[in-house]
Amino acid sequence: MADERTPLIAVVETRPVRDRYSHQTLRFFCTLGLTLTLFFGFIIATFVLGITKSSDEDTQDWSIYVPFAHDVPTSWPKSAGLEYSDLQAILSETPDADKAREWSQYYTSGPHLAGKNLSQAIWTKEKWQEFGIENSLIVDYDIYVNYPQGHRLALLEKTKKTRREDAAEVGNEESWEIAFEASLEEDVLEEDSTSGLVDRIPTFHGYSASGNVTAPYVFVNYGTYKDFEELVAANVSLSGKIALIKYGGVFRGLKVKRAQELGMVGAVIYSDPGDDGEVTELNGYAPYPAGLARQPSSVQRGSCQFLSFAPGDPTTPGYPSKPGAPRLPVDHAIPSIPSIPISYTDALPLLRALNGHGPKASSFNKYWEGGGLGYKGVEYNIGPSPEGLLLNLINEQEYVITPMWNVIGIINGSIPDEVVVLGNHRDAWIAGGAGDPNSGSAAFNEVIRGFGIALQAGWKPLRTIVFASWDGEEYGLVGSTEWVEEYIPWLSSSTIAYLNVDVGTVGPEFMVAAAPLLNKVITETLHLVQSPNQTIPGQTVGDVWDKLIDTMGSGSDFTAFQDFVGIPSLDMGFAMNSKTALYHYHSNYDSFDWMEKFGDPGFQYHATIAQIWGLMAASLIETPVIQLNATDYALALKKYVKSVKEKAKKANFESEAEAQKSLFGPLDHAISRLQIASQLHDSLAAYFLQKLYDNDIPWWKWWEKVKLYYSIRAVNTKYKLLERQFIYAGGLDGRSWFKHVVFAPGKWTGYAGATFPGIVEAIQDNDKESAYRWVSIITGLVENAAESLTPEG
């Protein structure tokens, strides 16, 4: 019976409990096991798909929604261990003028000619390891080079006795006397400690030919291609003569090459003070060491390799000079006639002996009027030298295959296939080299010391950094070229940019040459660094800079990166101006004493170039979206085409408007398309970067972070590979080592950059078929570049 404790709701059993299935328990556990198997199988499968995803994949798939199925660095979008602002502070504050002075004093304390500086290579490697770059090593190559054994330059005059006698005796040795014997030495100066070193390096040319020739000589101005053409047009006899040439205008090796092609038998090259601007003795400046002007006995050494045809080891064009590598003949790359460099003191008697013989230089054009020795009695006649006056040139060189040593340091980043390379060469023609290259070497050590301090603070970069101290640059960019030729597959797939500093400072004027992709990072970085020249308090290097970014040519270690592989590169440093001390390029007087007294007395510009270099590298290494700009490239191409059109019009090559449109129309159209694609790509990059900065993605929406990572990776990959789009496998006509169709050294300039060299050279040769062919090749590559930037879908 119910009472007050009886529940209001009661369960009344109407039948016994029974399972729905006879195997209910077994079925339950089987279902649970199958569900778990499918779930974990899905996780494992997508994980495998994620870790095997190619690094350059542009699309997202469902695997991004699964944990661990991707390769996003843990710290992304930041690097690990330090905020970007903290890294910038370290790289700005670390470079120290006193430290730079210390490194400069070490590097300039003795000879360090290419292939003869192993102790410096070892010291550099150990110093970098001391700074914290533990992964530093020496990479060697077996290089074909020459070293000087002896030389002579003498002006021979026929004796009076022989002049009165018949011509049968002209060949007698006794019938000639020495009218002048060149010293071929630079003066030892009490105020310059390295100028008198017992083991100082003689004056000579790298890759010059051995020979003993006696012949009349001709003054050929700067020895440019145009200079020689004008001499030929004026019926000046060149064959069988020795060329007396002024430094300047074009690379010295091309002077010798053209003289050789015209049948000349030797070359003598000197530095004329007429090219020294305002700072000359004629204008009242005392010569070094008392003042700012050129030391009269200074001699510019240097390479005579045909640099604009093939840099690197001349016996291994296009492949690395490792032990056992096959060696090819060298005629294509170095001279077969002897050449030597001399001072203007030694050139004076030779120039005076030409007075009154042949036309005057001033009778040609304005480019022949720059001689600065008129006050010394030189009239600048062309010659040939008069009958009864001959020049005897002796050049003795030993050619060997010898090791050279690059020092390579690496800081591995979280993204291994995005790499920034920084480089400077270590070898010099002389014991000093305080400007070239060791102002760069000293600054480089300060850059690396800054990165080492960041590593000690726990920093790991987002991208990989490679530091390179090259050997053999002076002979013909040998160390860097051989290294690039060896590692081209990795460099081509991974490298974002190459940042080169050769001459870090020899004055106060900031100079830079760069690929247009790097214009943005250059401009932004220069406004972060205080200028040592504080005429207005707080002004930056960017404030006093002339805003000029030169076109890439050659002459330093960026050449293989830019022109052979297609890696956007720059070369920068502080140069002299018209009011500062004359820089004794490749002379004994490019010394620590000159630098401390005239070049950079407080070593402040050494520290400043180190700050710029480090911050520029950090910008490329650390920002989630690579700080390159494609629109700048497209705009530059438009400017370059305009320049080529002007050259064509000036040469009366396709001068009619319709003919020009027929020739350049397809290229104009392709560049316009590239400009549109570039603007879209830069906008997309800016959108993703802003999205990254604006969105604080919570941890539990990790898949949104992964999607954004792969979107930015796709953008960065397109930036990274854009410069490679302009590499043409066949290379330029007659110099196939150079693969870039937009940039190359001028064929007959060497240092100065040429844009669209294939088209320009066809115009110069009046070869319409070749011009149309090169326009077609370049148009195709520009269209491919536009296609590579065009968003999918």
Side-chain angles (χ1 to χ4, degrees), residues 641 644-645 648 653-670 759 763 768-777 779:
V641 169
V644 174
K645 289 177 180 177
F653 184 95
E654 300 284 50
S655 57
E656 296 296 327
E658 284 302 312
Q660 283 236 359
K661 185 177 179 181
S662 172
L663 175 59
F664 293 107
L667 183 55
D668 287 334
H669 178 76
I759 305 174
I763 291 171
K768 292 188 179 182
E769 181 180 347
S770 180
Y772 276 91
R773 179 173 68 87
W774 273 109
V775 168
S776 176
I777 290 169
T779 298

Side-chain angles (χ1 to χ4, degrees), residues 46-74 76-77 414-415 417-418 463 624-625 681 684-685 688-689 691-692 697 702-719 792:
T46 53
F47 173 73
V48 171
L49 286 173
I51 63 174
T52 58
K53 183 187 293 290
S54 64
S55 62
D56 61 347
E57 186 173 355
D58 292 339
T59 59
Q60 283 78 51
D61 57 33
W62 47 267
S63 70
I64 66 173
Y65 296 98
V66 181
F68 313 115
H70 50 77
D71 54 0
V72 182
T74 306
W76 191 87
S414 299
I415 304 175
D417 65 341
E418 293 179 358
R463 301 182 176 93
V625 175
H681 186 71
L684 185 63
F688 283 132
L689 187 61
K691 184 177 180 181
L692 183 65
I697 302 172
W702 47 265
W703 60 87
E704 290 189 7
K705 178 180 177 181
V706 174
K707 286 179 67 178
L708 188 54
Y709 169 78
Y710 281 116
S711 295
I712 290 176
R713 277 279 279 174
V715 166
N716 285 345
T717 298
K718 291 182 178 184
Y719 273 135
E792 288 74 17

Side-chain angles (χ1 to χ4, degrees), residues 741-787:
V741 300
V742 179
F743 303 113
K747 189 173 184 178
W748 286 102
T749 62
Y751 285 133
T755 51
F756 293 128
I759 305 174
V760 170
E761 287 161 22
I763 291 171
Q764 292 169 343
D765 295 339
N766 197 30
D767 186 342
K768 292 188 179 182
E769 181 180 347
S770 180
Y772 276 91
R773 179 173 68 87
W774 273 109
V775 168
S776 176
I777 290 169
I778 296 168
T779 298
L781 294 177
V782 173
E783 288 176 345
N784 290 344
E787 184 68 28

Side-chain angles (χ1 to χ4, degrees), residues 728-740 773-774 777:
Y728 174 58
L732 299 179
D733 294 340
R735 44 180 183 150
S736 59
W737 186 92
F738 288 92
K739 310 291 185 185
H740 207 297
R773 179 173 68 87
W774 273 109
I777 290 169

Side-chain angles (χ1 to χ4, degrees), residues 31 61 84 135 273 423 582 649 702 758:
T31 301
D61 57 33
Y84 182 44
N135 190 8
L582 190 286
K649 185 176 181 180
W702 47 265

Side-chain angles (χ1 to χ4, degrees), residues 165-206:
E165 295 177 357
D166 60 34
E169 294 189 29
V170 168
N172 292 342
E173 188 175 337
E174 293 76 20
S175 64
W176 295 86
E177 63 183 21
I178 297 173
F180 168 72
E181 181 94 37
S183 73
L184 305 182
E185 288 276 353
E186 294 176 292
D187 292 347
V188 175
L189 306 177
E190 185 178 343
E191 300 89 340
D192 193 310
S193 58
T194 57
S195 68
L197 291 177
V198 174
D199 56 351
R200 63 188 182 274
I201 298 168
T203 57
F204 81 109
H205 279 151

